Amino acid sequence: MGKTIKEIKIGDTAEFTKTISESDVYLYAGITGDLNPAHINEVEAGKGNFKTRIAHGMLTAGLVSAVLGMKLPGPGTIYMGQEMKFTKPVYFGDTITAKVEVIEVIKEKILKLKTTCTNQKGEIVLDGVATVLPPRD
């Protein structure tokens, strides 16, 4: 099991890093049904804002889920909510680091964590706050 509320303190951090591949984007599109040409059609995406295909924003957000569910608090965590803003596109081949930091403990049972994803250039591509219920004692 992951860390319980008694084992966690404000300021604790954890992270996960992954390079986003074309396969990741196609698998995510197939699983979710989000076949937006901005993600899967290079010709059509080339006519858009970013001039090439980009990863789904929620694929990037999924990396935050990986940190919460596997590292901090870890296995047994219930992801209750997420406020987020996508600040830059994620391109195929970008290496994204999802980081969480404990910022608040509510009634000794719920955690708020700052959530940030950055690319290999150190640019923030996702910024937000997650609410989770860590594993019980």
Side-chain angles (χ1 to χ4, degrees):
M1 290 299 281
K3 292 182 176 182
T4 65
I5 199 90
K6 293 176 184 174
E7 299 171 294
I8 296 171
K9 63 184 182 308
I10 291 177
D12 284 353
T13 65
E15 60 184 46
F16 172 72
T17 300
K18 177 175 179 34
T19 299
I20 304 299
S21 70
E22 182 174 34
S23 295
D24 294 327
V25 173
Y26 275 84
L27 287 167
Y28 186 87
I31 290 166
T32 63
D34 183 352
L35 305 174
N36 183 331
H39 308 303
I40 64 167
N41 184 316
E42 184 63 39
V43 173
E44 290 302 313
K47 299 173 188 174
N49 291 332
F50 303 113
K51 307 301 181 204
T52 190
R53 294 173 295 169
I54 59 171
H56 301 77
M58 293 307 291
L59 173 57
T60 304
L63 302 180
V64 171
S65 181
V67 180
L68 296 170
M70 299 307 297
K71 296 188 175 195
L72 182 66
T77 297
I78 303 300
Y79 203 162
M80 298 172 61
Q82 176 76 50
E83 297 172 26
M84 72 182 105
K85 181 178 181 183
F86 301 106
T87 56
K88 288 193 176 285
V90 172
Y91 297 100
F92 293 21
D94 278 356
T95 298
I96 304 300
T97 298
K99 180 178 180 181
V100 304
E101 177 183 357
V102 178
I103 58 172
E104 185 179 357
V105 177
I106 302 170
K107 297 183 181 179
E108 297 303 317
K109 68 179 187 176
I110 295 172
L111 295 175
K112 288 214 179 252
L113 302 99
K114 179 174 177 47
T115 57
T116 308
C117 290
T118 55
N119 62 20
Q120 67 279 2
K121 298 175 187 174
E123 300 169 324
I124 295 173
V125 299
L126 179 152
D127 192 28
V129 176
T131 304
V132 303
L133 185 62
R136 289 187 168 177
D137 298 336

